[in-house]
Amino acid sequence: MRRKTKLIHGGSPFDPFTGAVSVPIYQVSTYKQDDIGVHKGYEYSRTGNPTRHALEQYIADLEEGARGFAFSSGMAAINAVFSLLSAGDHIILTDDVYGGTYRIVTKVLSRLGIEATFADTTSLEDMEKALQLNTKALFVETPTNPLLKVTDIAGVAAWAKARQLLFIVDNTFSTPYWQTPITLGADIVLHSATKYIGGHSDVVAGLAVVSNDKLGEELHFVQNATGGVLGPQDSWLLIRGLKTLGLRMEAHEENAEAIVAYLSRLETIQNIYYPGLPSHPQHELAKRQARGFGGIISFDVGSAEKASAMIKKLKYFTLAESLGAVESLISVPARMTHASIPSERRKQLGITDGLVRISVGIEDSEDLLEDLEQSLKS
């Protein structure tokens, strides 16, 4: 089954109870039992809900994993996966992860006795330096947020397996349409489904997919025990969003490539970060392990003042925290999504005050280009 067909027919596309073509929203908290402990597969909606279950089967199928899980936010999904670790464990993470991931690791997990080291996961040598006797897991974002660095998933998976590490990949930027990390050796794949999977700025959600049944049992225990589950209405919105994911991802990328080509001609732009650029350090790797480059572009306009001046002139780019929606969104990571990272740390990573991140929408590319041109000229 090809990918666009799988987006329509993957998982359980019909309601098994009624045959409805669109899985209904089962707005229910509990379920009638035929006898004590005898039921039709559902007993309480924290443990399982038919609408959420349909979504979880769907994302597992798309990511080619064993089992899927839906959470109330991307951070709830990340927290659940980190809950597989124990006090005294150590985890290695990509150095320029999303600010929320950095915050939970440094401000929450640290209080629970879980240690962390941030490393450049594009370098096996750097990861080897970060390795400790108590290292239990490796967490990778690829492409990263906001510098769009690309990690060799298959290469790092082999490295992690040789050291018996749990290998976790945040696949938010690529989505299962462009990239399937489990097929390259990842143990767990994560999504902030608020972004491309939902795709319409109308839902907050997180998804996780595991590669085997053992991990599935462990993560389901955490999900049920801690209760950060996704509600049925939001589950239904994600199912609907996924149906058009392929069409949207292709449109996002087509527009992104047009914008990158325009920005590349401007002398006023200091750096452009986009895996589709031949000059990107991991361009060939991105071509090899993913089916597309995505719709996120970061570039440096030189200063916070210039970034603010440009953003104030824009008409079709909405200043907002999120990404991956049908409308084009723009942000300044140093003052928005990555403000929780200390300024010195941001400078070390290259997240400058003049760095701008665009989530390219699916509007007419000519309108977006004209809007960018007038704002940058002013």
Side-chain angles (χ1 to χ4, degrees):
M1 195 186 300
R2 292 168 178 82
R3 303 209 71 76
K4 282 181 183 171
T5 305
K6 199 170 189 178
L7 285 167
I8 304 300
H9 297 281
S12 300
F14 309 111
D15 178 41
F17 305 109
T18 65
V21 174
S22 174
V23 176
I25 299 171
Y26 283 92
Q27 191 67 53
V28 57
S29 62
T30 194
Y31 306 81
K32 178 183 180 296
Q33 300 189 19
D34 297 326
D35 201 346
I36 298 171
V38 179
H39 49 76
K40 297 178 176 62
Y42 300 95
E43 51 190 323
Y44 190 64
S45 277
R46 171 167 42 78
T47 307
N49 173 281
T51 314
R52 190 176 87 234
H53 184 228
L55 169 64
E56 291 174 332
Q57 286 185 309
Y58 192 9
I59 192 61
D61 198 6
L62 294 176
E63 283 286 5
E64 301 187 42
R67 192 166 174 179
F69 301 89
F71 295 90
S72 55
S73 69
M75 289 312 306
I78 288 173
N79 184 58
V81 169
F82 283 153
S83 296
L84 298 174
L85 302 173
S86 301
D89 288 349
H90 173 256
I91 183 170
I92 300 170
L93 298 97
T94 301
D95 53 8
D96 65 326
V97 290
Y98 165 60
T101 306
Y102 180 89
R103 180 173 54 226
I104 193 173
V105 168
T106 59
K107 304 295 185 183
V108 179
L109 296 188
S110 60
R111 289 161 45 199
L112 303 177
I114 297 172
E115 302 172 22
T117 300
F118 295 89
D120 181 359
T121 54
T122 67
S123 165
L124 290 177
E125 182 182 357
D126 206 42
M127 289 194 300
E128 197 68 48
K129 289 178 183 176
L131 190 67
Q132 298 179 182
L133 291 176
N134 60 335
T135 304
K136 301 296 183 183
L138 171 65
F139 182 103
V140 166
E141 262 184 29
T142 182
T144 61
N145 180 10
L147 298 176
L148 296 142
K149 295 195 299 186
V150 177
T151 293
D152 181 353
I153 297 173
V156 168
W159 182 87
K161 186 176 182 181
R163 289 152 184 81
Q164 298 182 306
L165 305 182
L166 181 68
F167 182 29
I168 307 157
V169 177
D170 187 326
N171 199 31
T172 298
F173 274 24
S174 288
T175 80
Y177 189 70
W178 287 143
Q179 182 172 272
T180 42
I182 286 175
T183 65
L184 299 172
D187 296 308
I188 300 178
V189 172
L190 286 163
H191 291 278
S192 172
T194 309
K195 314 303 192 293
Y196 286 112
I197 287 177
H200 294 79
S201 296
D202 56 9
V203 61
V204 173
L207 297 173
V209 179
V210 297
S211 63
N212 61 70
D213 291 332
K214 181 177 181 296
L215 272 175
E217 288 300 317
E218 292 173 359
L219 191 56
H220 182 258
F221 177 84
V222 171
Q223 183 191 45
N224 188 44
T226 58
V229 296
L230 190 65
Q233 293 196 33
D234 288 343
S235 296
W236 185 86
L237 283 171
L238 290 191
I239 292 171
R240 185 176 67 167
L242 276 165
K243 302 293 184 185
T244 59
L245 180 65
L247 298 173
R248 289 187 285 107
M249 292 308 290
E250 290 180 0
H252 288 304
E253 182 163 309
E254 184 179 348
N255 281 352
E257 288 176 343
I259 289 172
V260 166
Y262 164 70
L263 293 173
S264 297
R265 297 193 295 267
L266 301 181
E267 294 181 1
T268 52
I269 303 300
Q270 296 180 3
N271 293 295
I272 304 171
Y273 303 92
Y274 184 68
L277 274 172
S279 58
H280 187 283
Q282 294 94 37
H283 174 69
E284 291 302 320
L285 170 62
K287 282 171 60 178
R288 194 165 66 244
Q289 78 178 13
R291 294 171 289 272
F293 300 116
I296 305 295
I297 307 163
S298 293
F299 57 97
D300 199 326
V301 296
S303 69
E305 292 74 23
K306 288 180 180 179
S308 295
M310 182 196 83
I311 286 169
K312 287 176 182 176
K313 295 288 185 180
L314 290 168
K315 296 183 294 183
Y316 299 130
F317 291 82
T318 301
L319 180 64
E321 289 272 357
S322 196
L323 60 95
V326 291
E327 62 274 349
S328 291
L329 303 177
I330 192 166
S331 67
V332 178
R335 286 182 280 168
M336 297 174 73
T337 55
H338 290 65
S340 59
I341 298 175
S343 59
E344 287 304 313
R345 176 66 178 162
R346 291 198 304 266
K347 289 176 183 176
Q348 290 172 6
L349 295 171
I351 304 173
T352 65
D353 291 344
L355 186 73
V356 173
R357 189 193 72 190
I358 288 177
S359 171
V360 184
I362 63 172
E363 301 95 338
D364 190 297
S365 63
E366 291 301 314
D367 286 325
L368 296 179
L369 289 168
E370 289 169 4
D371 196 21
L372 275 176
E373 184 175 20
Q374 62 84 21
S375 68
L376 287 166
K377 281 184 176 178
S378 66

